[in-house]
Amino acid sequence: MPPTGGRAGGPAHHEVPAEELPPDLNQAILEATKQVGAILKRNDHDFALAGSVAVYAHGGTGNLQHDADFCIRPEDAPAVAATLEEAGLPVFAPPEDWLLKAKCLGQDIDLIFELAAQPVTTELLRRATPLPVDSVQMPVLAPTDLMRSLLAAFSAHHCDFGAVLPIARQLRERVDWEAVREEYGHAPMPAAFLFLLERLEVIAPRGADR
């Protein structure tokens, strides 16, 4: 496991006086995303931005959630953690065994190495698209992979369609919905969500183009 805590001595990147923080949570998350993305790029780490900030980068609204998500390969996790700690960011391992967590500018950073119940792979990262997040260019998960990750998270204990519906609306023209259906349409909660999208005319019914 990677060490915990930031580097001793000197100001850490996450220690920012309150008066210097961005004026709202969305901007604070964006600033933290840019800083972490820049650190990973400078150190030549392979990664892709995920979650609500990735949706924003693809042109979605700026209504971000509570953290910034970065996909990394499992084998790269120790090196990524060491890089962030060297930059002054604390990194720790939560009880979940599929991610590490960090802090930057007071914001939560998730370093995810398992997405949609599968390990993050080189192929997934290669499908990412370089996009600007405000002023910083970084690889962002492809829209279809983003939607896969959201539908894979649905279960009997977690099925917040209301949070995912606006994302599906925003990305609908760039998602391969047939591929999503093939992979997740057999599971009850994703199938129900896809049916909801059809009824709301967000996506066409299956086979409509035939």
Side-chain angles (χ1 to χ4, degrees):
M1 271 301 168
T4 58
R7 180 181 53 184
H13 286 249
H14 63 286
E15 294 173 353
V16 179
E19 61 271 15
E20 296 182 19
L21 286 174
D24 62 72
L25 178 60
N26 285 342
Q27 193 59 41
I29 293 173
L30 287 177
E31 292 298 326
T33 301
K34 292 191 294 183
Q35 189 166 122
V36 172
I39 292 170
L40 297 180
K41 285 173 57 181
R42 280 199 303 269
N43 289 273
D44 295 322
H45 289 296
D46 290 329
F47 71 96
L49 184 64
S52 61
V53 189
V55 176
Y56 170 82
H58 278 294
T61 64
N63 185 21
L64 307 180
Q65 297 174 5
H66 58 281
D67 55 21
D69 299 325
F70 290 84
C71 290
I72 59 174
R73 292 174 301 210
E75 60 268 29
D76 296 336
V80 169
T83 291
L84 295 181
E85 289 197 318
E86 181 64 23
L89 277 62
V91 181
F92 63 95
E96 299 86 356
D97 60 0
W98 47 272
L99 82 165
L100 297 174
K101 286 185 173 287
K103 280 281 189 180
C104 180
L105 297 176
Q107 305 306 310
D108 291 326
I109 306 295
D110 285 355
L111 305 165
I112 300 167
F113 38 85
E114 185 176 300
L115 191 71
Q118 298 293 328
V120 172
T121 63
T122 300
E123 290 72 23
L124 176 75
L125 299 182
R126 283 177 178 167
R127 290 197 297 268
T129 305
L131 292 172
V133 178
D134 279 1
S135 57
V136 177
Q137 192 98 353
M138 67 183 73
V140 180
L141 274 187
T144 300
D145 290 322
L146 269 173
M147 195 55 56
R148 281 191 179 109
S149 70
L150 294 170
L151 266 65
F154 287 149
S155 70
H157 303 287
H158 173 80
C159 52
D160 186 359
F161 291 177
V164 182
L165 177 58
I167 296 174
R169 289 184 186 277
Q170 292 157 12
L171 299 181
R172 61 183 171 183
E173 294 180 357
R174 284 174 280 178
V175 172
D176 183 344
W177 291 106
E178 287 305 308
V180 172
R181 282 188 175 105
E182 285 296 324
E183 193 162 359
Y184 297 108
H186 63 282
M189 296 305 174
F193 182 71
L194 291 167
F195 177 70
L196 175 65
L197 293 183
E198 292 178 4
R199 291 299 303 270
L200 294 176
E201 299 184 348
V202 175
I203 62 175
R206 185 168 196 165
D209 56 344
R210 298 197 295 269

